[in-house]
Amino acid sequence: MLAHIFRRIVATIPVMAIVALFVFSLLYIAPGDPAAVIAGEQASPEDVEKIRKGLGLDRPFVSRFGEWSWHILQADLGTSMFTGLPVTQLIVQRLEPTLSLMVVTLILSITIAVPMGVIAAWKAGTWVDRGLMAFAVLGFSVPVFVVGYVLAYVFALELDWFPVQGYTPLSAGFWPWLENLVLPAIALGCVYIALIARITRASMLEVLQQDYIRTARSKGMGQSGILFVHALKNAAVPIVTVIGIGVALLIGGAVVTESVFAIPGLGRLTIDAIVRRDYPVIQGIVLLFSLVYVLVNLAVDVIYTLLDPRIRY
Amino acid sequence: MLGSAVPVPADVAVEPAMPDVLPPIKVRRGLAGFVYRHPTIAFGAALLIAMLSIAVLAPYLGTVDPTALSPAKRTRAPSAEFWFGTDMFGRDVYSRVMYGARVSLTVGFSVAILASLAGLAVGLISGFVRWADGIIMRIMDGMMSIPPILLAVALMALTRASVTNVVTAITIAEFPRVARLVRGVVLSLREQPYVDAAVAAGTRGPMIILRHILPNTLAPMTVQATYICASAMIVEAILSFIGAGTPPSVPSWGNIMAEGRALWQVKPFIVFFPAVFLSLTVLAVNLLGDGLRDMLDPRMAKRL
């Protein structure tokens, strides 16, 4: 068990190394001259040269990559080309809102999607099932910012139940913090809920056909006990997998959701960096989010072994 | 010989004909039958064809120049003259939305095709060339660890805004998934007796790929391609929305929404119309994908 977890942790190192190498190489393999693109149309040749120096593009690839990786290992993600501040500092400043949004979305999505999938599987073939699955297809198809605007328009502008925009730090109290995050979390969670609900239904349908479910039923166990104790536990592995994979959707969606709801998080930092073509900042954000994604999926792998003792490596 | 030569005596019981208790099976043929059997595909395809028609026929749908500015008529509400209203530069939102279909569909289809081809090539190499497999799959794992939108954002930050660059960026972000799918199919097919037989018969590698491998990858790849198409259209809109996508001069749905963003609390229609069209188009492609999956892989149909 511990050996397995250790092996999995070690296995993430090459993946992260490749992510870093790839993100770094983009500067070199991008078509045209990145320094000229970043400088913009009106830049003088001196400006372009300054940016080239700043990015280290005037030096050989290998030595530059070595130096860059060494800094990264010390949590030094470079310096923002626009503000001149360390990228790590910029990211840490913006971390809380994004992290809050993602955690709230994750909890909300799982608590909605799993029962949804379970009920759809239980009522398979009926209009309840069809309705829930139609909702899931819709959830896949309506882009996150569209959901965001609709929710904000209806529940914030018209009904005035929630604040339209903004973010309140957790230090200002739990309820004010949560109040600001409800609408963004629902908007961001839509795709995620659809994804988890579909897999939950599919996985449950398979489990519900097993003999031990019939046994449980024949010994007089109640429906909810069968569904949530016997069946869901056995159906959990694919569900947990999708929860892990879906975090990539959450990360991408968070950038947009923050922009719709004016949340000053990493998404805002990303958008500002795009407008200013501040590549070191973008690089840092991409690396951080990839690391989060890899770590989440590492956690998923560990949860497998806890959920299903049959899984041994 | 014998059976037919000996005549059946008159007093021997002959098995009676099956009683006609089963109702006759109604066979539905042609298009109507297809629509009956695969309603999701039919609905998705019809919706998609409608959107394609809008894209192709945009100049003939009562539109005006989607980039024509008329500052005197800015932010008008929808009316008989401006069906979807006008934006803050006085441009006709209806015309912009109709022309916007071109960008979304071009990006969606181009990415689906290019990502499938790139993924197919890499997947085949990885599945057949043993020594390259480990390296290629580690690289694909690494690329798949970068959330697609962020990978596209990083690429767009280094290149000039253009539809071509958007297509390239999203293709790079999406193709590793196809590569992994194709590799999986190849690895399972390599163990099939008929592939062994083909090898034993001296069939050359390319011929085995063409005859045995490609036909088997086609079904899962088609389904995957529709999902990539849907996802590419959403990513394009998101990129344009956050300012990393198609240049502002091109009317794409994402751009229209990005421009309407500042005014959405007072003039929600500027954001609303492109949003509806984008959602319907993505829905059409997703339905098509779900339907194709059910049709091409009945085993999956039962599960999902």
Side-chain angles (χ1 to χ4, degrees):
Chain A
M1 184 68 183
L2 281 175
H4 166 62
I5 293 172
F6 181 74
R7 268 201 305 277
R8 289 291 311 149
I9 294 172
V10 171
T12 59
I13 294 171
V15 172
M16 278 316 294
I18 284 164
V19 170
L21 179 63
F22 186 75
V23 172
F24 181 81
S25 327
L26 285 181
L27 264 177
Y28 291 83
I29 56 180
D33 181 3
V37 172
I38 289 169
E41 305 282 337
Q42 281 94 37
S44 63
E46 291 81 46
D47 286 342
V48 176
E49 213 41 55
K50 224 174 95 191
I51 287 170
R52 202 190 309 281
K53 272 231 160 61
L55 288 168
L57 281 170
D58 54 338
R59 278 178 290 154
F61 178 86
V62 178
S63 74
R64 178 81 190 98
F65 179 64
E67 188 192 333
W68 183 78
S69 329
W70 180 240
H71 285 291
I72 293 233
L73 289 175
Q74 296 162 326
D76 171 12
L77 292 165
T79 311
S80 158
M81 288 159 55
F82 186 80
T83 58
L85 294 168
V87 174
T88 315
Q89 185 193 333
L90 287 172
I91 287 178
V92 170
Q93 281 172 356
R94 304 295 191 99
L95 206 54
E96 190 201 310
T98 306
L99 221 56
S100 307
L101 175 63
M102 289 184 58
V103 170
V104 172
T105 309
L106 201 69
I107 295 170
L108 185 89
S109 304
I110 295 171
T111 45
I112 293 176
V114 173
M116 220 172 108
V118 171
I119 291 168
W122 173 34
K123 298 278 182 193
T126 64
W127 64 269
V128 179
D129 175 30
R130 286 204 200 103
L132 287 175
M133 287 306 110
F135 173 78
V137 176
L138 263 179
F140 270 124
S141 306
V142 184
V144 46
F145 47 113
V146 176
V147 188
Y149 278 126
V150 172
L151 288 175
Y153 192 78
V154 175
F155 294 103
L157 276 187
E158 294 292 316
L159 296 172
D160 204 20
W161 290 358
F162 297 100
V164 183
Q165 287 177 326
Y167 175 76
T168 317
L170 188 54
S171 53
F174 181 75
W175 289 113
W177 170 79
L178 191 65
E179 197 181 38
N180 263 304
L181 287 172
V182 173
L183 292 182
I186 298 174
L188 178 57
C190 256
V191 186
Y192 202 44
I193 291 171
L195 190 72
I196 300 171
R198 267 166 78 129
I199 287 290
T200 308
R201 176 181 177 272
S203 181
M204 285 289 288
L205 275 182
E206 207 152 278
V207 171
L208 285 176
Q209 289 172 354
Q210 304 291 323
D211 291 340
Y212 53 80
I213 298 296
R214 197 176 338 126
T215 310
R217 196 163 280 145
S218 62
K219 75 178 187 193
M221 196 172 189
Q223 186 67 49
S224 58
I226 292 175
L227 285 176
F228 286 96
V229 178
H230 280 232
L232 189 58
K233 210 174 162 192
N234 282 288
V237 167
I239 301 172
V240 174
T241 312
V242 157
I243 290 174
I245 293 171
V247 168
L249 286 174
L250 279 194
I251 292 170
V255 176
V256 188
T257 313
E258 286 184 11
S259 140
V260 171
F261 289 96
I263 298 171
L266 288 174
R268 174 84 68 78
L269 188 63
T270 313
I271 292 176
D272 290 347
I274 292 166
V275 174
R276 298 164 184 166
R277 293 197 179 269
D278 198 342
Y279 193 69
V281 174
I282 295 176
Q283 219 171 26
I285 293 169
V286 172
L287 276 175
L288 174 76
F289 274 135
S290 306
L291 180 66
V292 169
Y293 183 55
V294 169
L295 290 181
V296 166
N297 282 291
L298 173 69
V300 162
D301 259 18
V302 174
I303 292 172
Y304 278 169
T305 46
L306 300 178
L307 277 174
D308 193 342
R310 286 170 297 182
I311 295 180
R312 283 279 173 268
Y313 295 86
Chain B
M1 255 336 202
L2 236 159
S4 61
V6 179
V8 180
D11 58 335
V12 171
V14 178
E15 191 191 344
M18 278 288 287
D20 201 10
V21 287
L22 293 172
I25 295 166
K26 193 173 176 197
V27 181
R28 294 169 198 253
R29 291 181 200 283
L31 190 63
F34 184 82
V35 172
Y36 179 78
R37 271 176 278 126
H38 304 288
T40 13
I41 298 186
F43 184 70
L47 200 54
L48 189 59
I49 289 170
M51 290 299 168
L52 279 170
S53 315
I54 288 176
V56 174
L57 301 173
Y60 310 105
L61 294 171
T63 52
V64 295
D65 181 358
T67 54
L69 307 172
S70 55
K73 296 173 181 164
R74 5 181 241 278
T75 62
R76 293 276 175 90
S79 64
E81 192 193 354
F82 303 106
W83 293 353
F84 295 175
T86 58
D87 66 10
M88 69 266 247
F89 301 113
R91 293 175 298 195
D92 179 29
V93 175
Y94 169 73
S95 304
R96 292 177 69 72
V97 169
M98 294 297 117
Y99 277 95
R102 294 184 164 187
V103 179
S104 272
L105 289 166
T106 308
V107 171
F109 282 93
S110 317
V111 171
I113 293 168
L114 292 175
S116 299
L117 290 178
L120 181 67
V122 174
L124 283 177
I125 295 172
S126 194
F128 276 107
V129 186
R130 287 246 156 120
W131 61 265
D133 185 34
I135 303 166
I136 292 179
M137 278 303 120
R138 289 298 79 72
I139 295 174
M140 296 293 122
D141 281 349
M143 287 175 75
M144 277 191 286
S145 304
I146 308 173
I149 292 173
L150 285 181
L151 181 49
V153 162
L155 285 164
M156 290 308 296
L158 292 174
T159 52
R160 278 171 222 285
S162 74
V163 177
T164 321
N165 284 339
V166 171
V167 169
T168 316
I170 307 177
T171 303
I172 292 174
E174 297 277 357
F175 90 90
R177 273 156 255 273
V178 186
R180 186 183 250 187
L181 175 85
V182 172
R183 170 182 175 269
V185 174
V186 170
L187 287 185
S188 72
L189 287 176
R190 280 172 58 136
E191 310 302 320
Q192 295 293 320
Y194 58 81
V195 175
D196 283 342
V199 174
T203 315
R204 285 171 187 281
M207 203 60 186
I208 294 180
I209 291 178
L210 199 66
R211 274 218 193 124
H212 301 296
I213 309 291
L214 279 186
N216 281 302
T217 51
L218 211 56
M221 263 181 59
T222 313
V223 176
Q224 181 87 355
T226 56
Y227 292 138
I228 288 179
C229 177
S231 142
M233 289 193 292
I234 291 186
V235 174
E236 186 275 325
I238 288 178
L239 287 178
S240 300
F241 186 76
I242 61 178
T246 45
S249 56
V250 181
S252 85
W253 289 334
N255 276 340
I256 305 172
M257 283 186 265
E259 285 153 12
R261 180 168 51 177
L263 291 171
W264 79 272
Q265 294 190 19
V266 275
K267 311 278 178 191
F269 56 87
I270 304 175
V271 175
F272 175 76
F273 287 107
V276 168
F277 275 81
L278 174 64
S279 307
L280 282 178
T281 313
V282 177
L283 178 68
V285 178
N286 273 333
L287 287 176
L288 202 61
D290 281 0
L292 281 174
R293 186 197 59 212
D294 294 353
M295 188 174 82
L296 297 173
D297 188 353
R299 212 164 42 86
M300 278 292 283
K302 212 182 70 200
R303 294 206 294 122
L304 276 179

